Amino acid sequence: MNKSRKVFSFIIFAIILCSTFSSTLATVLAEKTDELEKNLSSEAVLLMEASTGKVIYENNGYEKKYPASTTKIMTAILAIEHCNLNETATASEFAINSVPSGYSTANIQIGETLSVKDLLYALMLQSANESAVILAEHVSGSQEAFANLMNKKAKEIGCKNTHFVNPNGIHDENHYTTAYDLALIAQYAMKNQTFRDIVKTTSFTLPATTSYPSESRTYANTNNLIIYDARNRPDNYYYKYATGIKTGYTSAAKNCLVASAEKNGIEYISVVLGASITYENTGSVSHRYVDTIALFDYAFDNFSFRKLKAANNLIKTIKIENGIAKIIPEKCKGCGVCVSACPQHIIRLVPFENDVVIGCSNTEKGVITRKYCEKGCIGCRLCEKTCPNGAVKVVNNLAVIDYSLCTGCGACAEKCPRHLISKGKNDDLPSEEPLLG
């Protein structure tokens, strides 16, 4: 980790994602977060704001999981970047025969030639596994070489726990990712207009060719979020704000969905992995859709963009002395911009008295600063729920630590959505007034 300090002259010309953290609204948000958690059933979920990459909510979002056909998001964006859409590619015997029985196909024939554009639609709407291999061989010469290209791109995007061995997600124990990494890949892909146009398309038809002289290969998008359905029943998953992206399923991965939705100029990306299907009197219920819709509703109902400072308007509230950030009390409005902007999360919202130190120069071993501003805590209780030793309790919107139980593992610090808690060891903790929230 880079431990260098830079003198900050904060020029804010972005619109920062925020929520209103009055005590009343904080309580409401905490209650809604608790309600969301109770209703989610998938093994791993993650919700990200698309323009900033801000993670709004996650549960097991950084655990390795099998991605199934959500793998094809990476395949599609690489094909778009490396090919002209009007180029043609021919299906090899390997591309057709490498798809195991039971996996989805678009009935493409050995030796059939199709445009890259048609192959992309087959890939992303019908989830055609042979189309993924045809595109991989067209771009890189072989499936193995294309997998190397996928892994290289994943690292460039910022993925830390992803490894691809094929372009379609056919199950392999060495083919894995995380909900967070999939969100990063989707965020990257959705910046491409061609990709966006494909994943929001509801149906398509492969053209007739000499190998298949019929236009009978018409397929609907497997993503039911974008398929209009007027029925009032539990298995109606149409979501009018949905903009994509890709479903997936294998017996090992279970039901998966990487989705996007946009409302009032804000777009979110959700990732749901390891979802189940339950059965009710009215039919089956797919929880990859139920959980995804719950995540989107939670985001749109509780978060918005707020303009904090106009372009080119300098905020001269923070000064750096000897590597320690200090506050200028008469200028600070308690907006928390510095907290959000600090890349190492070492600035905290604290009382303004006596030009108090709000940062810590010792980031290597970490120090938990006491007397944080009460307005900083939103009462989500994630620190309390996460602590493996029961050392953290939230009382009146303040996280209180029991030093006799704390091992300094940092679990509470990692879960705090506002970065109000810093990882530390027992020896580093203050001896009194252990207020952390």
Side-chain angles (χ1 to χ4, degrees), residues 79-191:
I80 291 169
E81 291 180 343
H82 286 79
C83 303
N84 184 300
L85 296 182
N86 295 320
E87 289 178 26
T88 58
T90 300
S92 68
E93 182 176 353
F94 174 80
I96 304 304
N97 293 335
S98 63
V99 180
S101 175
Y103 281 81
S104 59
T105 73
N107 204 15
I108 299 173
Q109 306 298 302
I110 296 174
E112 185 172 7
T113 298
L114 293 164
S115 70
V116 168
K117 181 178 180 180
D118 287 333
L119 289 167
L120 283 167
Y121 276 90
L123 176 77
M124 297 304 289
L125 274 69
Q126 168 61 8
S127 198
N129 287 286
E130 79 274 40
S131 181
V133 182
I134 296 168
L135 288 167
E137 292 180 335
H138 181 69
V139 171
S140 299
S142 69
Q143 177 174 268
E144 292 74 18
F146 189 78
N148 291 334
L149 182 64
M150 296 170 75
N151 290 322
K152 179 181 177 182
K153 191 67 175 183
K155 290 181 180 178
E156 291 175 359
I157 293 172
C159 300
K160 302 295 185 183
N161 294 290
T162 292
H163 184 258
F164 297 117
V165 299
N166 60 57
N168 45 27
I170 289 175
H171 181 67
D172 188 296
E173 289 186 357
N174 293 316
H175 189 97
Y176 56 81
T177 186
T178 67
Y180 178 70
D181 283 1
L182 274 175
L184 289 179
I185 295 169
Q187 179 196 29
Y188 176 83
M190 288 295 281
K191 294 176 182 177

Side-chain angles (χ1 to χ4, degrees), residues 26-42:
T27 301
V28 171
L29 180 60
E31 291 173 352
K32 289 185 176 181
T33 303
D34 287 340
E35 182 180 356
L36 173 69
E37 291 179 338
K38 292 176 182 177
N39 292 330
L40 297 176
S41 62
S42 299

Side-chain angles (χ1 to χ4, degrees), residues 10 12 16 308-309 315 334-342 349 418:
F10 289 110
I12 306 300
I16 298 179
L308 299 179
K309 276 291 178 179
I315 300 176
C335 67
V337 172
C338 57
V339 177
S340 300
C342 180
L349 293 177
R418 300 208 73 199

Side-chain angles (χ1 to χ4, degrees), residues 67 83 98 147 159 175 189 225 267 296 298 314 346 348 361 381:
C83 303
S98 63
C159 300
H175 189 97
L225 292 177
E267 187 167 49
F296 284 147
Y298 170 78
L314 260 80
I346 59 171
R348 310 284 182 258
S361 60
R381 310 182 78 89

Side-chain angles (χ1 to χ4, degrees), residues 269-433:
I269 292 169
S270 71
V271 180
V272 171
L273 303 176
S276 63
I277 293 179
T278 57
Y279 297 90
E280 302 180 3
N281 293 334
T282 54
S284 61
V285 176
S286 177
H287 290 275
R288 69 181 176 188
Y289 295 113
V290 173
D291 286 1
T292 296
I293 292 171
L295 287 166
F296 284 147
D297 284 345
Y298 170 78
F300 289 130
D301 290 346
N302 295 291
F303 297 91
S304 63
F305 276 111
R306 183 162 305 164
K307 191 172 184 178
L308 299 179
K309 276 291 178 179
N312 301 318
N313 191 338
L314 260 80
I315 300 176
K316 299 179 179 178
T317 305
I318 305 295
K319 61 181 180 180
I320 308 295
E321 292 184 359
N322 299 321
I324 297 178
K326 292 188 176 183
I327 196 168
I328 303 174
E330 63 271 16
K331 294 183 179 181
C332 180
K333 304 295 184 181
C335 67
V337 172
C338 57
V339 177
S340 300
C342 180
Q344 296 194 55
H345 308 305
I346 59 171
I347 300 179
R348 310 284 182 258
L349 293 177
V350 297
F352 303 154
E353 294 86 354
N354 303 318
D355 197 15
V356 66
V357 174
I358 61 172
C360 172
S361 60
N362 191 352
T363 59
E364 183 172 357
K365 68 177 181 178
V367 173
I368 298 180
T369 307
R370 60 193 177 98
K371 289 187 177 180
Y372 292 135
C373 175
E374 183 174 354
K375 293 181 180 179
C377 179
I378 62 173
C380 66
R381 310 182 78 89
L382 288 177
C383 55
E384 179 179 309
K385 298 174 184 177
T386 303
C387 181
N389 306 303
V392 183
K393 301 293 180 184
V394 176
V395 181
N396 296 326
N397 268 5
L398 292 175
V400 182
I401 193 166
D402 184 341
Y403 301 152
S404 64
L405 299 176
C406 178
T407 61
C409 68
C412 56
E414 292 175 2
K415 278 292 183 181
C416 180
R418 300 208 73 199
H419 309 299
L420 298 175
I421 304 176
S422 294
K423 182 178 179 180
K425 301 176 182 178
N426 272 326
D427 294 341
D428 301 323
L429 299 172
S431 59
E432 58 184 10
E433 299 182 9

